[in-house]
Structures are given as C-alpha cells and as structure tokens.
Amino acid sequence: NAGVTQTPKFRILKIGQSMTLQCAQDMNHNYMYWYRQDPGMGLKLIYYSVGAGITDKGEVPNGYNVSRSTTEDFPLRLELAAPSQTSVYFCASTYGIGGQQYFGPGTRLTVL
Amino acid sequence: QKEVEQNSGPLSVPEGAIASLNCTYSDRGSQSFFWYRQYSGKSPELIMSIYSNGDKEDGRFTAQLNKASQYVSLLIRDSQPSDSATYLCAVYSGYSTLTFGKGTMLLVSP
C-alpha cells in the first residue's frame, strides 16, 4: 500500500492564482482530513470528509474548498491565493471515528 | 471550544535520560488520546495511542492517562538523539475530528 499520497510536494503561487492540492489514499478509509501547519504551530483542520459526497468545515476553512467524489481522493482547492495561505498542508485519513490518523508527506506552499 | 495544551519547549535532556512530555485537554468527554512524533520537515507519525486510564507501555515509550485530571503524558526512557523531534498530543472528543496541541520540541544531546 502507498498509504496517503500528496502532490505536489512544493509549489510557489502568485497572489490571486488558484491551484488544487491532490490527496489520495489506498487504505479504503472513509474519513479524510486536510490540515495546515504554520511554523511553531500545531495542526489546524481546514476541511474533512466522512465519506464520498460528504464534506464539512473545520477550524480554518476560509479561502479553501474541497470535494469528495470517490473514497480514495480528497482534493483541496485554493481560490485567489493570498500570502496568509503560505503554509505546509497535510492530508490524513483514518478507518473510523476516534482512530489513528495516517498522514501524507505534505505540500509546502508559498504564496508571493 | 476544545483545547489541547502543551508546553512548547524546547525540552532538553541528555542521552540516556527520561524525557517527560505533558498535555492537558479541556473536554471531559474526550475518548481517545494520541501522541505523534514529527521530525523537522516531515509529516506526523503515530507513536502511541491510549484510551483508558493508567499506563500503556511500548518499548521505550509509556503513555499515561488521567481522565479525572484531564492530562495525558508521554515518557521516553533511555532517550536517544534520534528522539529529537516535536511531539504532538492529539485528542478525540467526537464529531469525527482530532484536536491537536501545538507540540513540544524535544532535544536529546549526546
């Protein structure tokens, strides 16, 4: 199993550009999550999904959108990138409520 | 709002010593507790989970949970330089999500 994969690993965006961060898992997990992590800070939840077709906002959803059309994929869309979105983004998944979350390798995004 | 608090550190210990990392949480209904290790530039990886009061041991790691006092701790025995990392405490309190603390940086000197 590849586990949780994320692409790209690094990206530089200009202010106002848009992009999609890709996340996929091959563990047949229903629950998937997007976090951002700023230097010296913990993980802040952006969006999560409890199954295909179901998504919900986390702590910091503004400026982002998600979709979940399949169990495997959970892309994160940034519209009109801003410098405040410079961060490291992690995708995670878990098999069930309250279970261990498995993390992808992360995407380091810089908005200039 | 659910909160998970950790001392940001750094916690510095000499090689071979016991490192003690602490975490407190605000939601009394919390059910599952996790310790993740995160090396610089890498993603978090689970090292311990604990669900009931008491101690849980796995090799050099021991997790301790006290629900009455709302704290969970992680002890690392015989600390090694390779244990130098940030340790994140995470708590599950329902609603399908985990709440993470900001992490404690551990530095183990040879």
Side-chain angles (χ1 to χ4, degrees):
Chain A
N1 286 351
V4 180
T5 57
Q6 291 184 241
T7 56
K9 285 186 169 53
F10 303 94
R11 183 73 185 268
I12 298 175
L13 283 182
K14 294 182 179 178
I15 294 172
Q17 287 185 318
S18 300
M19 77 164 294
T20 298
L21 281 65
Q22 300 292 344
C23 173
Q25 52 88 12
D26 61 359
M27 297 175 282
N28 202 33
H29 288 171
N30 282 323
Y31 298 81
M32 295 187 73
Y33 306 84
W34 274 107
Y35 296 94
R36 60 176 288 172
Q37 186 176 41
D38 300 320
M41 303 295 287
L43 295 160
K44 294 191 175 181
L45 183 64
I46 304 171
Y47 270 96
Y48 67 100
S49 169
V50 301
I54 307 170
T55 63
D56 208 346
K57 295 178 181 179
E59 184 184 0
V60 289
N62 291 344
Y64 308 94
N65 273 303
V66 293
S67 59
R68 183 95 181 272
S69 57
T70 67
T71 299
E72 293 77 22
D73 301 297
F74 189 39
L76 177 71
R77 177 83 177 163
L78 278 72
E79 304 282 2
L80 298 175
S84 60
Q85 293 178 305
T86 294
S87 190
V88 180
Y89 292 83
F90 290 104
C91 178
S93 71
T94 185
Y95 57 89
I97 292 177
Q100 169 192 352
Q101 291 190 8
Y102 296 82
F103 284 82
T107 294
R108 187 175 297 272
L109 176 68
T110 302
V111 182
L112 300 173
Chain B
Q1 183 173 351
K2 302 180 182 63
E3 293 183 346
V4 176
E5 300 287 341
Q6 294 182 257
N7 188 323
S8 61
L11 173 66
S12 295
V13 301
E15 184 175 358
I18 296 175
S20 177
L21 304 160
N22 299 311
C23 169
T24 59
Y25 58 94
S26 62
D27 187 350
R28 244 180 219 286
S30 299
Q31 302 164 30
S32 307
F33 307 85
F34 304 89
W35 283 100
Y36 285 83
R37 177 176 61 198
Q38 186 176 26
Y39 292 114
S40 181
K42 302 295 186 182
S43 59
E45 57 177 334
L46 182 75
I47 53 173
M48 290 288 287
S49 59
I50 187 165
Y51 303 94
S52 48
N53 279 331
D55 295 359
K56 179 181 178 183
E57 187 175 318
D58 184 1
R60 295 187 296 113
F61 299 95
T62 299
Q64 299 174 318
L65 174 61
N66 184 323
K67 289 187 177 180
S69 300
Q70 294 175 240
Y71 84 79
V72 57
S73 62
L74 179 70
L75 300 178
I76 306 175
R77 290 181 299 280
D78 188 24
S79 295
Q80 300 297 308
S82 59
D83 294 324
S84 297
T86 295
Y87 290 80
L88 301 171
C89 174
V91 176
Y92 173 69
S93 303
Y95 307 104
S96 308
T97 63
L98 289 179
T99 301
F100 285 84
K102 293 181 180 179
T104 298
M105 181 183 294
L106 173 66
L107 298 175
V108 182
S109 54

